[in-house]
Amino acid sequence: MRPKSSRPQACRGLEKLPSASEPLADRCLWGYGIWWFCIALLTTARSIRTGMSFNLGWWGFTFPIGVYSVATLALARITHIDSLTVVGVILITGLVGLWVLISARTLHGAWKGYLFVSPCLVPGAIPGDRMKAESSAIEVGSR
């Protein structure tokens, strides 16, 4: 015996609607993700060409690529589209390469001592500090 539903009669059968629209929705969202992946890749490449130096923020690249890679492999498993498996493996391979590169650059920067520098702690970096230093220099000079 089935339990009675608390839904109104007009809403019965709507639970089947998401399963009917999922194949289209997941492909649309995956396509939207690949669009943003390409935009991010091109923007990052341009920034590197124009002198973006290495910093700890590069670790922020790994998480979205990892999530998108795993989502691609999950979509390939669900939809049985073999080409998505290939794309997922390529993304995972690229992620591993990126992870190795960022790890090496992080270790190098930590070893050389240039990575963990806070620019805001450099004297004169904060405008208020600069004005205080100039006013104390004027006071010393006027004595």
Side-chain angles (χ1 to χ4, degrees), residues 16 34-35 51 60 115-116 136-137 143:
K16 295 178 185 173
I34 200 75
W35 167 255
L115 189 60
F116 302 113
S136 53
R143 289 185 185 172

Side-chain angles (χ1 to χ4, degrees), residues 76-92:
R77 185 175 47 89
I78 291 168
T79 60
H80 306 290
I81 299 175
D82 293 333
S83 59
L84 282 178
T85 303
V86 172
V87 172
V89 168
I90 291 169
L91 287 170
I92 294 279

Side-chain angles (χ1 to χ4, degrees), residues 2-19:
R2 290 180 51 194
K4 288 189 175 184
S5 175
S6 62
R7 292 188 189 131
Q9 186 66 26
C11 294
R12 297 218 176 138
L14 287 180
E15 63 272 0
K16 295 178 185 173
L17 186 61
S19 63

Side-chain angles (χ1 to χ4, degrees), residues 21-85:
S21 63
E22 283 173 6
L24 178 61
D26 57 11
R27 287 172 182 88
C28 287
L29 290 174
W30 187 86
Y32 187 65
I34 200 75
W35 167 255
W36 279 108
F37 181 76
C38 291
I39 295 289
L41 196 63
L42 292 172
T43 304
T44 303
R46 185 186 66 192
S47 296
I48 289 172
R49 274 196 317 269
T50 59
M52 180 175 81
S53 61
F54 178 77
N55 59 54
L56 289 176
W58 280 36
W59 281 105
F61 290 130
T62 60
F63 180 75
I65 295 170
V67 170
Y68 192 69
S69 302
V70 171
T72 300
L73 291 173
L75 184 62
R77 185 175 47 89
I78 291 168
T79 60
H80 306 290
I81 299 175
D82 293 333
S83 59
L84 282 178
T85 303

